[in-house]
Amino acid sequence: MSDQTQVPADGSPVTRRTVLDSAHIGDIQGAFGTIGQHELGRAGWRRRLLALLAILGPGIIVMVGDNDAGGVSTYSQAGQNYGTSLLWVLILLIPVLIVNQEMVIRLGAVTGVGHGKLIFERFGKFWGAFSVGDLFILNFLTIVTEFIGVDLALGYFGVSKYISVPLAALTLVAVTASGSFRRWERFMFVFIAANVLVIPLLVMSHPSAGSVVRHTTVPGIKGGVTSTSILLIIAMVGTTVAPWQLFFQQSNIVDKRITTRWINYERADTWIGAFVCVLAAGALICITAFAFGGTPLAGNFTDAGGVATGLQHYLGNAAGAMFAILLLNAALIGAAAVTLATSYAVGDVFGLRHSLHRGILDAKAFYASFCGFVILAAAIVLIPGAPLGVITTAVQALAGVLLPSASMFLLLLCNDKEVLGPWVNRPWLNLLAVFILGVLLVLSGILMATVLFPTINVTELTVVLGGLLLVGLIGFAIVAALRGRSGAAVPAPRLDKAQRETWTMPQLAFLGRPTMSRPVKLAMWTLRIYLVISVLLLIVKAVQLGTK
């Protein structure tokens, strides 16, 4: 472990900042520009625009990576089976995306270390293994779905999966192991640019503006609320707001050398990415909704390959080919981001060199873990007879079920004053984050109940759980207000703008071990038991769908 010495703009004493890899020190070298290591800021709109272009990357990549093969499949299923009736879900996900990833931005820029490392250091090995262990399992299964997407996309053009999947795996390794962060980021933006194909495809589907506006603003579910529709909504949540995002963006910010003085630029990067992500997801829903509406394919989703074939039949060869290219592109960028998030976490946990600034010979274990995940996931897809459509949906739903756990650790870290100092969450942000966490728990609770009791009235259950959530939020707000009045909550240090922009977390070795209150421990254990049960029931639901 090394440390970086920074000289604040106001001439105050230097701040010692944890740096886990010496490659994380130096100029910001983005796809579209460079910012000097000791540059304090840029005045004038032109210079600020150039700074933003240099910073662009972690936020957009993590958001567009959300629209991966599983995302394309899930959104296409939503449109094909439920028309445009689920568009409102995407609007609700925008604040979830921004709130979660904004907290990650501060953690990355202020601490200089990855998400996995912080969890291990602040919560201990047990909870660290719990959090990162879930991540490894979920990420590996997600990478499998990316190669399923590669198979379905190139299968549309008649390419055997025994050629397409290994070729895609080699491409991912070659792009990532170039030894240049800038080169890797430029490859990612090439993949991102390919998403413009969604525009002509949307035009070809002849969307109805009235239907889009109505279902975007008025919640509803075509055919009513059922356990299957709830499963799909959870899958939409899981593919749009996934746990791997937290680990990826924080480590990628650190790897890109973004520090506190550039936080607002990274926030803009993330906001842009969030809106691009949601607009693309909404377009995919509309494409399948309007292309298949009133046809025998409406309500009969099989997999993304079937969508490409259906679009070819109803909209022409060009439409089918464009959708297949979109699916392939989504699979590649998703696999690149998810696998890299996993390799970053491996480096955090085992103290390995982990930076895209290093070549293969200089970070053997880092790149070996990347290659291992890619090769193993690709090999599973080559097994004949796997129910690829069910696996894809189940993995996205699993991400939605596990997200509350990841969000809880994120929330606790962002209230850790030794870690974030003046950058800790504001009270209103905590309330919003707790609300988001509660909604995620309600969704997974509905899924559990419908698996255990298939005949249960899902509408009434939703009202009951929603009421409990409201009561819980009111209780949380009252406790937080009383705690603030009693002075139990220690206020964050008050610093001027220059001090705040140069404040960073001290070296981890100098931080005291945080003490968790009994209510927090109880909540964490309860959540852990709840999630284990949820995952088991999700497996049951997936098996039920696979055997229909």
Side-chain angles (χ1 to χ4, degrees), residues 89-348:
V89 176
L90 296 178
I91 300 301
L92 297 180
L93 289 177
I94 292 177
V96 180
L97 279 168
I98 292 177
V99 167
N100 271 14
Q101 296 310 122
E102 193 280 333
M103 289 191 281
V104 169
I105 291 169
R106 281 182 280 124
L107 283 175
V110 174
T111 68
V113 300
H115 203 64
K117 180 68 176 178
L118 273 183
I119 292 175
F120 266 88
E121 291 290 335
R122 303 306 286 164
F123 300 104
K125 293 181 180 179
F126 175 79
W127 291 109
F130 159 40
S131 176
V132 177
D134 285 349
L135 177 82
F136 286 164
I137 295 171
L138 176 60
N139 281 10
F140 175 72
L141 293 173
T142 304
I143 299 165
V144 171
T145 67
E146 309 303 355
F147 283 108
I148 290 173
V150 170
D151 174 28
L152 295 175
L154 291 180
Y156 173 83
F157 297 106
V159 181
S160 167
K161 68 179 180 180
Y162 297 103
I163 296 175
S164 62
V165 172
L167 186 60
L170 288 173
T171 300
L172 288 171
V173 172
V175 166
T176 305
S178 65
S180 167
F181 187 98
R182 170 173 285 169
R183 191 177 300 122
W184 171 84
E185 194 169 77
R186 284 175 175 171
F187 274 119
M188 292 300 102
F189 273 104
V190 170
F191 291 139
I192 290 170
N195 281 281
V196 298
L197 287 176
V198 77
I199 297 174
L201 198 53
L202 177 63
V203 173
M204 294 171 69
S205 68
H206 303 292
S208 165
S211 177
V212 171
V213 172
R214 182 171 66 256
H215 290 134
T216 298
T217 54
V218 181
I221 301 175
K222 182 180 178 180
V225 181
T226 65
S227 61
T228 302
S229 63
I230 291 296
L231 176 64
L232 182 59
I233 290 174
I234 293 175
M236 290 175 66
V237 174
T239 194
T240 308
V241 190
W244 69 264
Q245 290 177 263
L246 311 181
F247 289 79
F248 172 84
Q249 189 170 5
Q250 184 167 335
S251 289
N252 203 237
I253 285 172
V254 173
D255 205 5
K256 193 167 182 176
R257 305 160 178 168
I258 296 172
T259 55
T260 49
R261 66 176 66 97
W262 306 109
I263 278 182
N264 285 336
Y265 290 90
E266 181 53 30
R267 283 171 173 156
D269 174 34
T270 302
W271 295 338
I272 292 169
F275 282 98
V276 169
C277 168
V278 170
L279 288 174
L284 287 168
I285 291 175
C286 291
I287 288 165
T288 51
F290 293 111
F292 299 141
T295 73
L297 291 182
N300 293 306
F301 174 84
T302 53
D303 56 42
V307 172
T309 303
L311 291 175
Q312 178 191 34
H313 179 74
Y314 289 104
L315 300 183
N317 292 334
M322 282 191 288
F323 184 86
I325 293 172
L326 281 170
L327 178 60
L328 175 62
N329 177 69
L332 290 175
I333 192 172
V338 177
T339 311
L340 186 56
T342 313
S343 297
Y344 276 142
V346 170
D348 281 338

Side-chain angles (χ1 to χ4, degrees), residues 486-536:
S486 67
V490 180
R494 291 186 177 276
L495 304 175
D496 61 32
K497 182 179 179 182
Q499 289 174 320
R500 178 180 166 85
E501 287 185 353
T502 55
W503 195 97
T504 59
M505 182 187 74
Q507 293 184 55
L508 284 167
F510 297 154
L511 300 185
R513 175 73 67 179
T515 56
M516 288 190 292
S517 64
R518 287 185 179 179
V520 171
K521 287 183 178 179
L522 178 61
M524 291 179 72
W525 274 106
T526 303
L527 181 61
R528 178 59 170 166
I529 294 169
Y530 176 79
L531 290 178
V532 169
I533 297 172
S534 296
V535 170
L536 292 175

